[in-house]
Amino acid sequence: MKKVITYGTFDLFHKGHYNILKRAKEYGDYLIVGVTGETYDIGRGKLNVHDSLATRIENVQNTGFVDEIIVEEYLGQKIGDIIKYDIDTFVIGDDWRGKFDHLSRYCNMVYLERTKGISSTQIREETFDQYDIGIVFDYPDDNQIIKESKLVNGFEVKNIYCEDKKVLDKFLEKYDVENVCESYSEMVENSDIVYVRGEIEKRYSYIRKALVAGKHVIYDPPATFKEHELEELFDLAKKKNVILMKNIKMVHIYVFNQLLWMTQGGLIGDILSFNCAISKYDINRSNLFYDLSVYTLIPMLKIMGQDYEKFDYIVKKDGENVEFASMNFVYPKARAIITVGNKMRVDNQLEIIGTEGTIRMKNDWWKSRNFEIHTPDSTDVQVYNTNYEGNGFKYLIREMSNLLANNRIDSRRIFEDESLTIIRILDKIKKVKN
Ligand code: C2G
């Protein structure tokens, strides 16, 4: 019996998929199809898959050509599958020509011509809603949203607006955007989603205007230093039934979910200590300190909770500019120390000590792809991993896409009370006189 194997995502099943399965079967007596699992697709950057794994399997099964279906779960699985299932021939479309030649050592390798004029990408573009994103900015970089939003189906940056002509020119040297708007109102009007990437002092008013116009908003936090203003923005978003989302990419990536699961689920025991530090210096960003602080306070509040009994701090300022702060939060049975350096250099790291294990994330932990767990009773180190490219903005956009599909406006990744607590903490630091 000759056994054939082929693989694919088979999203929004179409004629091209049907044809390749039909022809693959002609190469033998028994056809196995590897349908890609969601984690594997996300890992290889395919974030826009629409159909569930169950639906995709069902569609492949319904062709009647397939004898067995397996799930492709990780990079490199193909070699193991060929050996395990004793495969004679591997078939794949010629869009992959040359890419799988190394498999010819194990079995026959056949590239079949793709069916012309049809693809899942094309169907997705024709079938689903398209969301135009507009960016308002004060800094000459896009935080990778232009590139990363393209990876999520139906999202694209189409409009930009910047008050400062020099910054705008610098931005345009790097990026190609369809519509450079003359005014903020024009940009808001032309966009479905507004990304507010401005100086802290301007964020509240930019966000407010976009919400009043009924647009979804992504913003770099903090939006304001005033609690009542943030509450007002939350209320406005609800009234207008639009999404108001912080640009904190960390909470959308797998490794952070794993971290929360380990710590909140008690898997490293009772937490005794949370220690995290971040530092960055940018001469052009006077208030960068507050942006950096949000990044440290989010995991702290999520992991340690908001019921700290005491909060004290040491702050070093140069005029209004915070150069360094060490914040100390005393909880009933634990302590958290947050160190943020704007001018002062500190080692970026995150360490959580529990009674049954210590978690460590090194270097730029807020965008880390892994963390280590050291258990007290062994020298074993467990490593939890995820793989992704870019800065993770695509995961935030994908969350937005899911919310829109589910008619929800609150993401549940960061709760309102957590955001309000952060504003209260930052406001205290802001009021410190040197
Ligand atoms: N295909 C085709 N004609 C089309 C579209 C797709 O022949 N118009 C083929 C592809 O070449 C592939 C199969 O259909 O062999 C499945 O395509 P996708 O669902 O796009 O899957 P892909 O990302 O190519 O997965 O491990 C995954 C595999 O390596 C390939």
Side-chain angles (χ1 to χ4, degrees):
M1 186 171 71
K2 293 272 177 241
K3 289 172 106 178
V4 182
I5 198 161
T6 190
Y7 292 84
T9 306
F10 303 102
D11 190 29
L12 302 163
F13 200 86
H14 57 70
K15 191 90 203 328
H17 297 141
Y18 181 90
N19 289 344
I20 199 148
L21 294 178
K22 182 166 191 269
R23 290 165 64 207
K25 178 67 185 244
E26 288 163 8
Y27 279 80
D29 314 297
Y30 191 85
L31 175 63
I32 302 179
V33 178
V35 180
T36 56
E38 281 172 30
T39 317
Y40 175 55
D41 271 331
I42 288 168
R44 67 184 184 133
K46 243 189 170 177
L47 285 181
N48 50 10
V49 178
H50 177 266
D51 292 339
S52 68
L53 175 60
T55 303
R56 293 181 287 119
I57 288 178
E58 198 182 327
N59 290 335
V60 167
Q61 189 72 59
N62 286 345
T63 59
F65 304 126
V66 183
D67 299 286
E68 190 172 342
I69 293 178
I70 58 172
V71 178
E72 187 177 23
E73 291 173 299
Y74 60 92
L75 184 78
Q77 186 181 318
K78 290 181 175 88
I79 293 173
D81 287 344
I82 292 171
I83 296 166
K84 179 175 170 188
Y85 298 102
D86 196 19
I87 299 299
D88 298 286
T89 305
F90 186 106
V91 172
I92 197 92
D94 64 0
D95 44 325
W96 291 98
R97 185 171 296 284
K99 297 267 165 45
F100 295 138
D101 286 356
H102 54 285
L103 295 179
S104 58
R105 197 168 163 76
Y106 301 90
C107 63
N108 302 320
M109 187 60 228
V110 177
Y111 295 102
L112 291 178
E113 198 188 333
R114 258 170 87 90
T115 305
K116 297 206 168 52
I118 184 128
S119 71
S120 306
T121 310
Q122 186 192 329
I123 302 175
R124 278 192 289 263
E125 277 168 12
E126 287 164 8
T127 320
F128 302 111
D129 289 340
Q130 302 295 311
Y131 294 92
D132 292 349
I133 303 175
I135 321 176
V136 54
F137 54 87
D138 290 320
Y139 324 115
D141 81 88
D142 75 328
N143 207 351
Q144 298 191 31
I145 190 176
I146 296 178
K147 192 171 81 195
E148 297 237 334
S149 59
K150 281 197 187 122
L151 299 168
V152 186
N153 205 29
F155 291 81
E156 196 170 345
V157 174
K158 290 274 176 68
N159 311 301
I160 53 169
Y161 172 71
C162 178
E163 271 178 16
D164 186 327
K165 177 87 179 63
K166 272 198 207 122
V167 175
L168 178 65
D169 288 343
K170 263 198 191 163
F171 190 96
L172 289 171
E173 277 169 26
K174 284 192 267 181
Y175 313 103
D176 196 14
V177 181
E178 216 171 276
N179 188 11
V180 181
C181 300
E182 293 291 318
S183 69
Y184 182 55
S185 324
E186 181 197 333
M187 197 203 81
V188 169
E189 198 177 312
N190 285 324
S191 311
D192 304 301
I193 299 165
V194 173
Y195 172 32
V196 176
R197 182 163 172 66
E199 297 289 349
I200 299 187
E201 297 74 25
K202 297 188 206 160
R203 290 177 194 167
Y204 163 77
S205 103
Y206 277 141
I207 297 169
R208 197 173 179 285
K209 273 189 197 145
L211 293 176
V212 167
K215 307 297 174 159
H216 304 291
V217 174
I218 301 171
Y219 68 95
D220 290 353
T224 162
F225 290 110
K226 300 189 180 98
E227 213 179 326
H228 71 91
E229 285 187 351
L230 188 64
E231 280 173 320
E232 184 203 337
L233 295 178
F234 286 152
D235 289 345
L236 194 54
K238 276 181 216 128
K239 202 168 119 220
K240 292 283 180 178
N241 198 31
V242 290
I243 299 166
L244 173 60
M245 198 185 253
K246 273 187 193 44
N247 167 27
I248 296 284
K249 294 168 278 280
M250 171 177 59
V251 297
H252 301 277
I253 58 180
Y254 276 12
V255 80
F256 190 73
N257 289 325
Q258 289 173 325
L259 185 73
L260 285 190
W261 190 260
M262 299 300 295
T263 49
Q264 295 178 340
L267 296 171
I268 58 162
D270 298 330
I271 295 173
L272 303 169
S273 154
F274 178 99
N275 223 311
C276 109
I278 186 168
S279 77
K280 214 170 176 182
Y281 182 55
D282 184 343
I283 191 114
N284 300 312
R285 307 251 324 246
S286 55
N287 273 326
L288 187 59
F289 169 84
Y290 298 103
D291 291 27
L292 297 176
S293 299
V294 176
Y295 263 78
T296 57
L297 292 168
I298 295 250
M300 182 196 87
L301 294 175
K302 292 220 157 281
I303 291 166
M304 307 297 286
Q306 297 174 69
D307 300 328
Y308 49 84
E309 293 171 336
K310 211 174 124 203
F311 167 44
D312 54 46
Y313 37 83
I314 291 165
V315 179
K316 159 98 179 69
K317 281 186 175 179
D318 177 14
E320 277 300 293
N321 194 35
V322 187
E323 296 183 331
F324 174 86
S326 174
M327 300 173 239
N328 179 22
F329 299 83
V330 181
Y331 288 80
K333 286 183 175 164
R335 173 155 105 145
I337 298 176
I338 304 277
T339 314
V340 181
N342 187 0
K343 200 161 170 192
M344 313 306 163
R345 175 90 200 126
V346 295
D347 271 344
N348 297 329
Q349 58 169 329
L350 185 149
E351 185 186 63
I352 306 161
I353 303 175
T355 49
E356 283 158 44
T358 296
I359 290 181
R360 280 204 191 105
M361 286 174 105
K362 286 181 198 138
N363 304 323
D364 297 352
W365 52 266
W366 58 95
K367 56 181 178 191
S368 180
R369 282 124 174 94
N370 62 62
F371 64 87
E372 289 176 359
I373 298 194
H374 301 253
T375 40
D377 55 349
S378 88
T379 48
D380 258 8
V381 180
Q382 291 168 34
V383 182
Y384 287 78
N385 269 311
T386 40
N387 279 317
Y388 66 94
E389 287 168 357
N391 70 357
F393 220 127
K394 52 183 174 273
Y395 297 104
L396 187 148
I397 306 275
R398 193 175 58 128
E399 175 89 354
M400 196 149 212
S401 164
N402 290 338
L403 289 172
L404 291 164
N406 294 329
N407 275 322
R408 259 194 100 104
I409 58 165
D410 57 322
S411 112
R412 285 184 284 183
R413 301 278 178 187
I414 301 170
F415 297 107
E416 279 184 14
D417 55 354
E418 292 167 338
S419 301
L420 292 167
T421 302
I422 289 175
I423 299 289
R424 280 197 294 275
I425 294 169
L426 296 186
D427 189 43
K428 284 216 166 95
I429 304 286
K430 189 166 185 290
K431 287 186 177 137
V432 172
K433 300 257 174 291
N434 236 18

